[in-house]
Coordinates of all heavy atoms in Angstrom, one line a residue:
K1 N -2.0 -12.2 -197.3 CA -2.4 -12.6 -198.6 C -3.7 -13.2 -198.5 O -4.0 -14.0 -197.6 CB -1.3 -13.5 -199.2 CG 0.0 -12.8 -199.3 CD 1.1 -13.7 -199.9 CE 2.4 -12.9 -199.9 NZ 3.5 -13.7 -200.3
Q2 N -4.5 -12.9 -199.5 CA -6.0 -13.3 -199.5 C -6.1 -14.9 -199.4 O -6.9 -15.3 -198.6 CB -6.6 -12.8 -200.8 CG -8.1 -12.9 -200.7 CD -8.8 -12.0 -199.8 OE1 -8.2 -11.1 -199.1 NE2 -10.1 -12.1 -199.6
S3 N -5.4 -15.6 -200.1 CA -5.5 -17.1 -200.1 C -5.1 -17.6 -198.7 O -5.7 -18.6 -198.2 CB -4.8 -17.7 -201.2 OG -3.4 -17.5 -201.1
A4 N -4.1 -17.0 -198.2 CA -3.6 -17.5 -196.8 C -4.6 -17.1 -195.8 O -4.8 -17.9 -194.8 CB -2.3 -16.9 -196.5
E5 N -5.3 -16.0 -195.9 CA -6.4 -15.6 -195.0 C -7.5 -16.7 -195.0 O -7.9 -17.1 -193.9 CB -6.9 -14.3 -195.3 CG -6.0 -13.1 -195.0 CD -6.7 -11.8 -195.4 OE1 -7.9 -11.7 -195.4 OE2 -5.9 -10.8 -195.6
M6 N -7.9 -17.0 -196.1 CA -9.0 -18.0 -196.3 C -8.6 -19.4 -195.7 O -9.3 -20.1 -195.0 CB -9.5 -18.2 -197.7 CG -10.2 -17.0 -198.2 SD -11.6 -16.5 -197.2 CE -12.6 -17.9 -197.4
S7 N -7.3 -19.8 -196.0 CA -6.8 -21.0 -195.5 C -6.8 -21.0 -194.0 O -7.2 -22.0 -193.3 CB -5.4 -21.2 -196.1 OG -4.9 -22.5 -195.6
F8 N -6.3 -19.9 -193.4 CA -6.3 -19.8 -191.9 C -7.7 -19.9 -191.3 O -7.9 -20.6 -190.3 CB -5.6 -18.5 -191.5 CG -5.5 -18.3 -190.0 CD1 -4.6 -19.0 -189.3 CD2 -6.4 -17.5 -189.3 CE1 -4.5 -18.9 -187.9 CE2 -6.3 -17.4 -187.9 CZ -5.4 -18.1 -187.2
L9 N -8.7 -19.3 -192.0 CA -10.1 -19.3 -191.5 C -10.7 -20.7 -191.6 O -11.7 -20.9 -191.0 CB -10.9 -18.2 -192.2 CG -10.5 -16.8 -191.9 CD1 -11.4 -15.8 -192.8 CD2 -10.8 -16.5 -190.4
Y10 N -10.1 -21.5 -192.4 CA -10.6 -22.9 -192.5 C -9.8 -23.8 -191.6 O -9.9 -25.1 -191.7 CB -10.5 -23.4 -194.0 CG -11.7 -22.9 -194.8 CD1 -11.4 -22.0 -195.8 CD2 -12.9 -23.4 -194.6 CE1 -12.5 -21.5 -196.6 CE2 -14.0 -22.9 -195.4 CZ -13.8 -22.0 -196.3 OH -14.8 -21.5 -197.1
G11 N -9.0 -23.3 -190.7 CA -8.3 -24.0 -189.7 C -6.9 -24.5 -190.0 O -6.3 -25.3 -189.3
N12 N -6.3 -24.0 -191.1 CA -4.9 -24.4 -191.5 C -3.9 -23.5 -190.9 O -4.2 -22.3 -190.5 CB -4.8 -24.4 -193.0 CG -5.7 -25.4 -193.6 OD1 -5.8 -26.6 -193.2 ND2 -6.4 -25.0 -194.6
H13 N -2.6 -24.0 -190.8 CA -1.5 -23.2 -190.3 C -1.1 -22.2 -191.4 O -1.4 -22.3 -192.5 CB -0.3 -24.1 -189.9 CG -0.7 -25.1 -188.9 ND1 -1.3 -24.9 -187.7 CD2 -0.4 -26.5 -189.0 CE1 -1.4 -26.0 -187.1 NE2 -0.9 -27.0 -187.8
I14 N -0.3 -21.1 -191.0 CA 0.2 -20.1 -191.9 C 1.6 -20.5 -192.3 O 2.4 -20.7 -191.4 CB 0.1 -18.7 -191.3 CG1 -1.4 -18.4 -191.0 CG2 0.7 -17.7 -192.2 CD1 -1.5 -17.1 -190.3
T15 N 1.9 -20.6 -193.5 CA 3.2 -20.8 -194.0 C 3.9 -19.5 -194.3 O 3.3 -18.5 -194.4 CB 3.2 -21.7 -195.3 OG1 2.5 -21.0 -196.3 CG2 2.5 -23.0 -195.1
K16 N 5.2 -19.6 -194.5 CA 6.0 -18.4 -194.8 C 5.5 -17.7 -196.1 O 5.4 -16.5 -196.2 CB 7.5 -18.7 -194.9 CG 8.3 -17.4 -195.1 CD 9.7 -17.7 -195.2 CE 10.5 -16.4 -195.5 NZ 11.9 -16.6 -195.8
S17 N 5.1 -18.5 -197.1 CA 4.6 -17.9 -198.3 C 3.3 -17.1 -198.2 O 3.0 -16.2 -198.9 CB 4.4 -18.9 -199.4 OG 3.4 -19.8 -199.0
G18 N 2.6 -17.4 -197.1 CA 1.3 -16.7 -196.8 C 1.5 -15.5 -195.9 O 0.5 -14.8 -195.5
L19 N 2.7 -15.2 -195.5 CA 2.9 -14.2 -194.5 C 3.3 -12.9 -195.1 O 4.1 -12.8 -196.0 CB 4.1 -14.6 -193.6 CG 4.4 -13.9 -192.3 CD1 3.3 -14.1 -191.3 CD2 5.7 -14.3 -191.7
A20 N 2.6 -11.8 -194.7 CA 2.9 -10.5 -195.2 C 3.9 -9.8 -194.4 O 4.9 -9.2 -194.9 CB 1.6 -9.7 -195.3
R21 N 3.7 -9.8 -193.1 CA 4.7 -9.2 -192.2 C 4.6 -9.8 -190.8 O 3.5 -10.4 -190.5 CB 4.5 -7.6 -192.1 CG 3.1 -7.3 -191.5 CD 2.9 -5.8 -191.5 NE 1.6 -5.5 -191.0 CZ 0.7 -4.7 -191.6 NH1 1.0 -4.2 -192.8 NH2 -0.4 -4.5 -191.1
M22 N 5.6 -9.6 -190.0 CA 5.7 -10.3 -188.7 C 6.3 -9.3 -187.7 O 7.3 -8.6 -188.1 CB 6.4 -11.6 -188.8 CG 6.4 -12.4 -187.5 SD 7.2 -14.0 -187.9 CE 7.1 -14.8 -186.3
T23 N 5.9 -9.2 -186.5 CA 6.5 -8.4 -185.5 C 7.9 -8.8 -185.2 O 8.2 -10.0 -185.1 CB 5.7 -8.5 -184.2 OG1 4.3 -8.1 -184.4 CG2 6.2 -7.6 -183.1
E24 N 8.8 -7.9 -185.1 CA 10.2 -8.2 -184.8 C 10.4 -8.8 -183.5 O 9.6 -8.5 -182.5 CB 11.1 -6.9 -184.9 CG 11.1 -6.3 -186.3 CD 12.0 -5.0 -186.3 OE1 12.8 -4.9 -185.5 OE2 11.8 -4.2 -187.2
N25 N 11.4 -9.6 -183.3 CA 11.8 -10.3 -182.1 C 10.7 -11.1 -181.5 O 10.6 -11.2 -180.2 CB 12.3 -9.2 -181.1 CG 13.5 -8.5 -181.6 OD1 14.4 -9.0 -182.3 ND2 13.6 -7.2 -181.3
T26 N 9.9 -11.7 -182.3 CA 8.9 -12.7 -181.7 C 9.6 -14.0 -181.4 O 10.2 -14.6 -182.3 CB 7.8 -12.9 -182.8 OG1 7.2 -11.7 -183.1 CG2 6.7 -13.8 -182.2
P27 N 9.5 -14.5 -180.2 CA 10.2 -15.7 -179.8 C 9.3 -16.9 -180.3 O 8.1 -16.8 -180.5 CB 10.3 -15.7 -178.3 CG 9.1 -14.8 -177.9 CD 9.0 -13.8 -179.0
Q28 N 10.0 -18.1 -180.5 CA 9.3 -19.3 -180.8 C 8.3 -19.6 -179.7 O 8.6 -19.5 -178.6 CB 10.3 -20.4 -181.0 CG 9.7 -21.7 -181.6 CD 10.7 -22.8 -181.8 OE1 11.8 -22.7 -181.3 NE2 10.4 -23.7 -182.7
Y29 N 7.1 -20.1 -180.1 CA 6.0 -20.6 -179.2 C 5.3 -19.4 -178.5 O 4.5 -19.7 -177.6 CB 6.5 -21.6 -178.2 CG 7.2 -22.8 -178.8 CD1 8.5 -23.2 -178.4 CD2 6.6 -23.5 -179.8 CE1 9.1 -24.3 -179.0 CE2 7.2 -24.6 -180.4 CZ 8.4 -25.0 -180.0 OH 9.1 -26.1 -180.6
A30 N 5.5 -18.2 -178.9 CA 4.8 -17.1 -178.4 C 3.4 -17.1 -178.9 O 3.2 -17.4 -180.1 CB 5.5 -15.7 -178.7
G31 N 2.4 -16.6 -178.1 CA 1.1 -16.5 -178.6 C 1.0 -15.3 -179.5 O 1.6 -14.2 -179.3
V32 N 0.3 -15.4 -180.6 CA 0.2 -14.3 -181.6 C -1.3 -14.1 -182.0 O -2.1 -15.0 -182.0 CB 1.0 -14.6 -182.9 CG1 2.5 -14.6 -182.5 CG2 0.6 -15.8 -183.6
V33 N -1.6 -12.9 -182.4 CA -2.9 -12.5 -183.0 C -2.6 -12.4 -184.5 O -1.7 -11.7 -184.9 CB -3.4 -11.2 -182.4 CG1 -4.7 -10.8 -183.1 CG2 -3.6 -11.3 -180.9
V34 N -3.5 -13.1 -185.3 CA -3.3 -13.0 -186.7 C -4.3 -12.0 -187.3 O -5.5 -12.0 -187.0 CB -3.6 -14.4 -187.3 CG1 -3.6 -14.4 -188.8 CG2 -2.7 -15.5 -186.7
Y35 N -3.8 -11.1 -188.1 CA -4.6 -10.0 -188.7 C -4.6 -10.3 -190.2 O -3.6 -10.8 -190.8 CB -3.9 -8.7 -188.5 CG -4.1 -8.2 -187.1 CD1 -3.2 -8.4 -186.1 CD2 -5.2 -7.4 -186.7 CE1 -3.3 -8.0 -184.8 CE2 -5.4 -6.9 -185.5 CZ -4.4 -7.2 -184.5 OH -4.6 -6.7 -183.2
G36 N -5.7 -9.9 -190.8 CA -5.8 -9.9 -192.3 C -5.1 -8.7 -192.9 O -4.6 -7.8 -192.2
M37 N -5.1 -8.7 -194.2 CA -4.4 -7.6 -194.9 C -5.1 -6.3 -194.7 O -4.5 -5.2 -194.8 CB -4.3 -7.9 -196.4 CG -3.4 -9.0 -196.8 SD -1.7 -8.8 -196.3 CE -1.3 -7.5 -197.5
S38 N -6.4 -6.3 -194.3 CA -7.1 -5.1 -194.0 C -7.1 -4.7 -192.5 O -8.0 -4.0 -192.0 CB -8.5 -5.2 -194.6 OG -9.2 -6.3 -194.0
D39 N -6.1 -5.3 -191.8 CA -6.0 -5.1 -190.3 C -7.2 -5.5 -189.5 O -7.4 -4.9 -188.5 CB -5.6 -3.7 -190.0 CG -4.1 -3.4 -190.5 OD1 -3.3 -4.3 -190.5 OD2 -3.8 -2.2 -190.8
I40 N -7.9 -6.5 -189.9 CA -9.0 -7.1 -189.1 C -8.4 -8.3 -188.4 O -7.9 -9.2 -189.1 CB -10.2 -7.5 -190.0 CG1 -10.7 -6.2 -190.7 CG2 -11.2 -8.2 -189.2 CD1 -11.8 -6.5 -191.7
P41 N -8.6 -8.5 -187.1 CA -8.1 -9.7 -186.4 C -8.9 -10.9 -186.9 O -10.1 -10.9 -186.9 CB -8.4 -9.4 -185.0 CG -9.1 -8.1 -184.9 CD -9.2 -7.5 -186.2
L42 N -8.1 -11.9 -187.3 CA -8.8 -13.1 -187.8 C -8.7 -14.3 -186.8 O -9.5 -15.2 -186.9 CB -8.0 -13.6 -189.1 CG -8.0 -12.6 -190.2 CD1 -7.2 -13.2 -191.4 CD2 -9.4 -12.3 -190.7
G43 N -7.8 -14.2 -185.8 CA -7.7 -15.3 -184.9 C -6.4 -15.3 -184.1 O -5.7 -14.4 -184.1
F44 N -6.2 -16.5 -183.4 CA -5.0 -16.6 -182.6 C -4.2 -17.8 -183.1 O -4.7 -18.7 -183.7 CB -5.4 -16.9 -181.1 CG -6.3 -15.9 -180.5 CD1 -7.7 -16.0 -180.5 CD2 -5.7 -14.8 -180.0 CE1 -8.5 -15.0 -180.0 CE2 -6.5 -13.8 -179.4 CZ -7.9 -13.9 -179.4
G45 N -2.9 -17.8 -182.7 CA -2.0 -18.9 -183.1 C -0.8 -18.8 -182.2 O -0.7 -18.1 -181.2
V46 N 0.1 -19.7 -182.5 CA 1.4 -19.8 -181.8 C 2.5 -19.7 -182.8 O 2.4 -20.4 -183.9 CB 1.5 -21.2 -181.1 CG1 2.9 -21.4 -180.4 CG2 0.4 -21.3 -180.0
A47 N 3.5 -18.9 -182.5 CA 4.6 -18.8 -183.5 C 5.4 -20.1 -183.5 O 5.9 -20.5 -182.5 CB 5.5 -17.6 -183.0
A48 N 5.4 -20.7 -184.7 CA 6.1 -22.0 -184.8 C 7.6 -21.8 -184.8 O 8.4 -22.6 -184.5 CB 5.7 -22.6 -186.1
Q49 N 8.0 -20.6 -185.3 CA 9.5 -20.3 -185.4 C 9.7 -18.8 -184.9 O 8.7 -18.0 -184.9 CB 10.0 -20.3 -186.8 CG 9.6 -21.6 -187.6 CD 10.2 -22.8 -187.0 OE1 11.3 -22.8 -186.3 NE2 9.6 -24.0 -187.3
S50 N 10.9 -18.5 -184.5 CA 11.2 -17.1 -184.1 C 11.3 -16.3 -185.3 O 11.4 -16.8 -186.4 CB 12.5 -17.1 -183.3 OG 13.6 -17.4 -184.1
T51 N 11.2 -15.0 -185.1 CA 11.3 -14.0 -186.3 C 12.6 -14.2 -187.0 O 12.7 -14.3 -188.2 CB 11.2 -12.6 -185.8 OG1 9.9 -12.4 -185.1 CG2 11.2 -11.6 -187.0
D52 N 13.7 -14.3 -186.3 CA 15.0 -14.5 -186.9 C 15.1 -15.8 -187.8 O 15.6 -15.7 -188.9 CB 16.1 -14.5 -185.8 CG 16.2 -13.2 -185.1 OD1 15.9 -12.2 -185.6 OD2 16.7 -13.3 -183.9
Y53 N 14.5 -16.9 -187.3 CA 14.6 -18.1 -188.0 C 13.7 -18.1 -189.2 O 14.0 -18.7 -190.3 CB 14.2 -19.3 -187.1 CG 14.4 -20.6 -187.8 CD1 15.7 -21.2 -187.9 CD2 13.3 -21.3 -188.3 CE1 15.8 -22.4 -188.6 CE2 13.5 -22.6 -188.9 CZ 14.7 -23.1 -189.1 OH 14.9 -24.3 -189.7
C54 N 12.6 -17.3 -189.1 CA 11.6 -17.2 -190.3 C 12.3 -16.6 -191.5 O 11.9 -16.9 -192.6 CB 10.4 -16.5 -189.9 SG 9.3 -17.4 -188.8
Q55 N 13.2 -15.7 -191.3 CA 13.9 -15.1 -192.4 C 14.6 -16.1 -193.3 O 14.8 -15.8 -194.5 CB 14.8 -14.0 -191.9 CG 14.0 -12.9 -191.3 CD 14.9 -11.9 -190.6 OE1 16.1 -12.0 -190.5 NE2 14.3 -10.8 -190.1
Q56 N 15.1 -17.2 -192.8 CA 15.8 -18.1 -193.6 C 15.0 -19.4 -193.8 O 15.5 -20.4 -194.4 CB 17.1 -18.5 -192.9 CG 17.0 -19.0 -191.4 CD 18.3 -18.9 -190.7 OE1 19.3 -18.6 -191.2 NE2 18.3 -19.2 -189.4
L57 N 13.7 -19.4 -193.4 CA 12.8 -20.6 -193.6 C 12.4 -20.7 -195.1 O 12.2 -19.7 -195.8 CB 11.6 -20.4 -192.7 CG 10.7 -21.6 -192.5 CD1 11.4 -22.7 -191.8 CD2 9.5 -21.1 -191.6
D58 N 12.2 -21.9 -195.6 CA 11.7 -22.1 -196.9 C 10.2 -21.7 -197.0 O 9.5 -21.7 -196.0 CB 11.9 -23.5 -197.4 CG 11.1 -24.5 -196.6 OD1 10.9 -24.4 -195.4 OD2 10.6 -25.5 -197.2
P59 N 9.7 -21.3 -198.1 CA 8.4 -20.8 -198.3 C 7.2 -21.7 -197.8 O 6.2 -21.3 -197.4 CB 8.2 -20.5 -199.8 CG 9.6 -20.4 -200.3 CD 10.4 -21.3 -199.4
S60 N 7.5 -23.0 -197.8 CA 6.4 -23.9 -197.3 C 6.5 -24.3 -195.8 O 5.7 -25.0 -195.3 CB 6.5 -25.2 -198.1 OG 7.8 -25.9 -197.9
G61 N 7.4 -23.7 -195.1 CA 7.6 -23.9 -193.7 C 6.5 -23.2 -192.9 O 6.1 -22.1 -193.2
N62 N 6.0 -23.9 -191.8 CA 5.0 -23.3 -191.0 C 5.6 -22.1 -190.1 O 6.6 -22.3 -189.5 CB 4.4 -24.3 -190.0 CG 3.5 -25.2 -190.7 OD1 2.8 -24.9 -191.7 ND2 3.4 -26.5 -190.3
V63 N 4.9 -21.0 -190.1 CA 5.3 -19.8 -189.3 C 4.4 -19.7 -188.1 O 4.8 -19.4 -187.0 CB 5.3 -18.6 -190.2 CG1 5.6 -17.3 -189.4 CG2 6.3 -18.7 -191.3
V64 N 3.1 -19.8 -188.3 CA 2.1 -19.7 -187.2 C 1.2 -21.0 -187.2 O 0.7 -21.4 -188.2 CB 1.2 -18.5 -187.4 CG1 0.1 -18.4 -186.4 CG2 2.0 -17.2 -187.5
L65 N 1.1 -21.6 -186.0 CA 0.3 -22.7 -185.8 C -1.1 -22.3 -185.4 O -1.3 -21.5 -184.5 CB 0.9 -23.7 -184.8 CG 2.3 -24.1 -185.1 CD1 2.8 -24.9 -183.9 CD2 2.4 -24.9 -186.4
H66 N -2.1 -22.7 -186.1 CA -3.5 -22.3 -185.9 C -4.0 -22.8 -184.6 O -3.8 -23.9 -184.2 CB -4.4 -22.9 -187.0 CG -5.8 -22.5 -186.9 ND1 -6.7 -23.3 -186.1 CD2 -6.6 -21.5 -187.4 CE1 -7.9 -22.8 -186.2 NE2 -7.8 -21.7 -187.0
Q67 N -4.7 -21.9 -183.8 CA -5.4 -22.3 -182.6 C -6.9 -22.0 -182.7 O -7.7 -22.9 -182.4 CB -4.8 -21.6 -181.4 CG -3.5 -22.1 -180.9 CD -3.1 -21.6 -179.6 OE1 -3.3 -20.4 -179.2 NE2 -2.5 -22.5 -178.8
A68 N -7.2 -20.8 -183.0 CA -8.7 -20.4 -183.1 C -8.8 -19.3 -184.1 O -7.9 -18.5 -184.3 CB -9.2 -20.0 -181.8
D69 N -10.0 -19.2 -184.7 CA -10.2 -18.1 -185.7 C -11.7 -17.7 -185.6 O -12.5 -18.4 -185.0 CB -9.8 -18.5 -187.1 CG -10.6 -19.7 -187.6 OD1 -11.8 -19.5 -187.9 OD2 -10.0 -20.8 -187.7
I70 N -12.0 -16.6 -186.3 CA -13.4 -16.1 -186.3 C -14.3 -17.1 -187.0 O -15.5 -17.1 -186.7 CB -13.5 -14.7 -186.8 CG1 -13.0 -14.6 -188.2 CG2 -12.8 -13.7 -185.9 CD1 -13.2 -13.2 -188.9
G71 N -13.8 -17.9 -187.9 CA -14.6 -18.9 -188.6 C -15.1 -20.0 -187.7 O -16.1 -20.6 -187.9
D72 N -14.3 -20.2 -186.6 CA -14.8 -21.2 -185.6 C -16.1 -20.9 -185.0 O -17.0 -21.7 -184.9 CB -13.8 -21.4 -184.4 CG -12.5 -22.0 -184.8 OD1 -12.4 -22.7 -185.9 OD2 -11.5 -21.8 -184.2
Y73 N -16.3 -19.6 -184.7 CA -17.5 -19.1 -184.1 C -18.6 -19.2 -185.2 O -19.7 -19.7 -184.9 CB -17.4 -17.6 -183.7 CG -18.7 -17.0 -183.3 CD1 -19.2 -17.3 -182.1 CD2 -19.3 -16.1 -184.1 CE1 -20.4 -16.7 -181.7 CE2 -20.5 -15.5 -183.8 CZ -21.1 -15.8 -182.5 OH -22.3 -15.2 -182.2
L74 N -18.4 -18.8 -186.4 CA -19.4 -18.9 -187.4 C -19.8 -20.3 -187.7 O -21.0 -20.7 -187.9 CB -18.9 -18.2 -188.7 CG -18.7 -16.7 -188.6 CD1 -18.1 -16.1 -189.8 CD2 -20.0 -16.0 -188.2
R75 N -18.8 -21.2 -187.8 CA -19.1 -22.6 -188.0 C -19.9 -23.2 -186.9 O -20.8 -24.1 -187.1 CB -17.8 -23.4 -188.3 CG -17.2 -23.1 -189.6 CD -16.0 -24.0 -189.9 NE -14.9 -23.9 -189.0 CZ -13.9 -23.0 -189.1 NH1 -14.0 -22.2 -190.2 NH2 -13.0 -22.9 -188.3
G76 N -19.7 -22.8 -185.6 CA -20.4 -23.2 -184.5 C -21.9 -22.8 -184.5 O -22.8 -23.5 -184.2
L77 N -22.1 -21.5 -185.0 CA -23.5 -21.0 -185.1 C -24.2 -21.8 -186.2 O -25.4 -22.1 -186.0 CB -23.4 -19.6 -185.6 CG -23.3 -18.5 -184.5 CD1 -23.3 -17.1 -185.1 CD2 -24.4 -18.6 -183.5
E78 N -23.5 -22.2 -187.3 CA -24.2 -22.9 -188.3 C -24.6 -24.3 -187.8 O -25.7 -24.7 -188.2 CB -23.2 -23.1 -189.5 CG -23.8 -23.7 -190.7 CD -22.8 -23.8 -191.8 OE1 -22.0 -24.9 -191.8 OE2 -22.7 -22.9 -192.6
D79 N -23.9 -24.9 -187.0 CA -24.2 -26.2 -186.4 C -25.5 -26.1 -185.5 O -26.3 -27.0 -185.5 CB -23.1 -26.8 -185.6 CG -21.9 -27.2 -186.5 OD1 -22.1 -27.3 -187.8 OD2 -20.8 -27.4 -186.0
E80 N -25.6 -25.0 -184.8 CA -26.7 -24.8 -183.9 C -28.0 -24.5 -184.6 O -29.1 -24.9 -184.3 CB -26.4 -23.7 -182.9 CG -25.3 -24.1 -181.9 CD -24.9 -22.9 -181.0 OE1 -25.7 -21.9 -180.9 OE2 -23.9 -23.0 -180.3
I81 N -27.8 -23.7 -185.7 CA -29.0 -23.2 -186.5 C -29.6 -24.3 -187.3 O -30.8 -24.5 -187.4 CB -28.7 -22.0 -187.3 CG1 -28.3 -20.8 -186.4 CG2 -29.8 -21.6 -188.2 CD1 -27.8 -19.6 -187.1
F82 N -28.7 -25.1 -188.0 CA -29.2 -26.1 -188.9 C -29.1 -27.4 -188.3 O -28.8 -28.3 -188.3 CB -28.4 -26.0 -190.2 CG -28.5 -24.7 -190.9 CD1 -27.5 -23.8 -190.9 CD2 -29.7 -24.3 -191.5 CE1 -27.6 -22.5 -191.5 CE2 -29.8 -23.1 -192.2 CZ -28.8 -22.2 -192.2

């Protein structure tokens, strides 16, 4: 979802309400690659919950914990340039 993509790019975790789809049988604490709705990789994270648990999670619960995103690189360039 577009708003969840922007939120992730600003360094926030992904909640269940911002999740479009998730790989089946993902264990808790597994490393994940986060893709946008247009299948562009946006960054990396850690699965906060397993796929099975996410199905019964409330919409505000964290699904992916943010680690790094493409915005980190762009924000770093901005600091060097300006």
